[in-house]
Amino acid sequence: MTLPEGLLKKLVCPNCKGVLIYQEKECRLVCDRCRLAYRIDNDVPVMLVDEAEKL
């Protein structure tokens, strides 16, 4: 399922407040500046830096 466009516009990286890139196929949000990926579980973004995947 796709995240609503309105939600995507409001979400920022919790670490640096930078722009997030939605990768629908991988089901994650990526911050290029921090090189972190935040997973999406059951259509809910998990915006916890401690649980983010380092890229």
Side-chain angles (χ1 to χ4, degrees):
M1 182 175 184
T2 321
L3 290 178
E5 189 67 31
L7 176 63
L8 291 173
K9 288 181 180 181
K10 293 179 183 179
L11 291 176
V12 295
C13 175
N15 191 50
C16 73
K17 309 301 184 236
V19 175
L20 292 170
I21 299 165
Y22 180 41
Q23 296 180 340
E24 188 174 357
K25 289 181 182 178
E26 291 83 5
C27 209
R28 66 186 185 177
L29 295 164
V30 174
C31 176
D32 279 338
R33 187 185 301 171
C34 294
R35 303 292 300 153
L36 293 173
Y38 301 94
R39 74 180 187 282
I40 301 171
D41 287 338
N42 298 318
D43 300 326
V44 177
V46 180
M47 304 301 293
L48 302 170
V49 176
D50 292 343
E51 293 190 23
E53 174 188 352
K54 294 178 183 168
L55 301 176

